[in-house]
Amino acid sequence: MTERPYVLLSCASSIDGHIDDNTEERLLLSNDEDFDRVDEVRATCDAILVGANTIRRDNPRLLVRAQDRRQNRVTRGLPESPIKVTFTSSGDLDPEAKFFTAGDVEKIVYCPDAALDKCRDRLGGVATVVGVGEAVGLETVLADLASRGIRRLMVEGGGTVHTQFLTEGLADELQLVIAPFFVGDADAPRFVGPGSFPHHSGNRMTVAEVRQIGDVILARYLLRRPDEAGTDQ
Ligand SMILES: NC(=O)c1ccc[n+]([C@@H]2O[C@H](COP(=O)([O-])OP(=O)(O)OC[C@H]3O[C@@H](n4cnc5c(N)ncnc54)[C@H](OP(=O)(O)O)[C@@H]3O)[C@@H](O)[C@H]2O)c1
């Protein structure tokens, strides 16, 4: 793959690696100061990607909140907020979800060709629906986003999506926030599932920054692209 956006993964996790619990209510892992930091990072990106399950479960708006940041983007000739991107195999997405209704920005849904008719019927009025063959491959999605001018992509979960970007070596940066508590439920969603990760004990990520933000800790890691030589041993 020759061209793809810079891919930044953003996630908040409990100390025991969970990004949610199994209750109906959304689990608040971060704090207001950190939400504002995330807002600042969002404002620097061209697109934000989440998995379909995060849309179904959290119903996020995924917009830049601060007025001055939105204005700054407009002054630079950009839309107020980054475009929104998701992918689905089932096509089970509600056009009334805030992902689709909030913000005057383009929304893109990638799906396998088999789900194209269903997705277009449901979402054609609120999103650009793109069929990408037999299955949705991340490299195909990233190449398509690059062709649409996306240079910097923020991936905001959930775990299935993070796992794919990390195992496929398609992430450049990980911004991981650790909340000061445990979830303690083995069945609660995790930051990542099992997999073959290019970054293991023999190929460690680089710590770019560690910052305390109120009661949470932000760790920022840089990941090598698989074609980059060398190990940290
Ligand atoms: N703490 C945090 O920072 C944070 C952030 C975001 C989300 N979360 C939490 O994460 C949980 C959701 O995570 P999750 O792992 O269940 O789901 P997810 O990663 O949000 O979405 C998974 C879904 O995305 C679609 N998808 C993913 N990869 C695909 C591919 N290659 N091709 C086609 N479709 C693909 C599928 O949708 P279909 O099923 O429609 O086919 C799949 O079921 C929620 O509990 C949410 O609260 C936490």
Side-chain angles (χ1 to χ4, degrees):
M1 188 173 174
T2 50
E3 195 191 3
R4 66 165 172 83
Y6 184 87
V7 176
L8 183 164
L9 309 189
S10 173
C11 184
S13 166
S14 66
I15 286 183
D16 50 346
H18 294 289
I19 57 173
D20 197 3
D21 58 20
N22 274 322
T23 65
E24 286 299 307
E25 277 183 26
R26 187 172 181 179
L27 178 69
L28 277 188
L29 287 142
S30 206
N31 56 40
D32 287 347
E33 198 182 339
D34 186 56
F35 285 132
D36 187 59
R37 177 198 62 82
V38 170
D39 195 60
E40 190 173 22
V41 178
R42 273 185 189 164
T44 68
C45 292
D46 302 307
I48 299 175
L49 184 150
V50 293
N53 216 23
T54 293
I55 296 174
R56 290 189 287 260
R57 162 110 180 135
D58 295 348
N59 197 17
R61 289 157 44 92
L62 301 173
L63 300 175
V64 173
R65 294 184 205 186
Q67 170 64 26
D68 58 332
R69 290 177 189 137
R70 291 202 301 266
Q71 186 54 51
N72 183 274
R73 287 179 56 94
V74 171
T75 305
R76 287 159 49 218
L78 301 171
E80 280 194 339
S81 284
I83 71 166
K84 301 190 230 178
V85 181
T86 191
F87 35 48
T88 176
S89 291
S90 71
D92 291 334
L93 283 167
D94 181 354
E96 296 295 319
K98 289 178 189 159
F99 178 94
F100 298 109
T101 58
D104 187 18
V105 293
E106 187 178 12
K107 293 99 189 176
I108 304 179
V109 178
Y110 292 98
C111 66
D113 289 345
L116 197 50
D117 287 346
K118 179 177 175 180
C119 284
R120 285 213 170 121
D121 283 351
R122 263 188 201 199
L123 307 168
V126 291
T128 305
V129 178
V130 184
V132 284
E134 221 172 287
V136 182
L138 292 196
E139 293 204 4
T140 306
V141 168
L142 291 177
D144 187 75
L145 288 173
S147 76
R148 293 169 192 267
I150 302 304
R151 297 282 166 267
R152 190 171 159 86
L153 172 69
M154 183 172 186
V155 178
E156 295 204 41
T160 307
V161 167
H162 285 316
T163 303
Q164 287 177 68
F165 275 96
L166 288 165
T167 54
E168 293 184 31
L170 291 171
D172 297 290
E173 179 173 341
L174 167 61
Q175 300 192 355
L176 183 64
V177 162
I178 308 294
F181 62 83
F182 301 84
V183 169
D185 176 353
D187 295 330
R190 287 192 169 277
F191 163 44
V192 285
S196 177
F197 292 85
H199 290 91
H200 43 70
S201 62
N203 184 28
R204 296 157 88 106
M205 300 183 291
T206 302
V207 179
E209 182 186 357
V210 179
R211 198 192 316 167
Q212 181 172 351
I213 303 171
D215 67 350
V216 304
I217 289 167
L218 164 70
R220 213 160 56 76
Y221 299 95
L222 301 181
L223 290 79
R224 283 203 190 93
R225 294 194 180 198
D227 55 353
E228 289 173 322
T231 71
D232 290 329
Q233 283 186 314

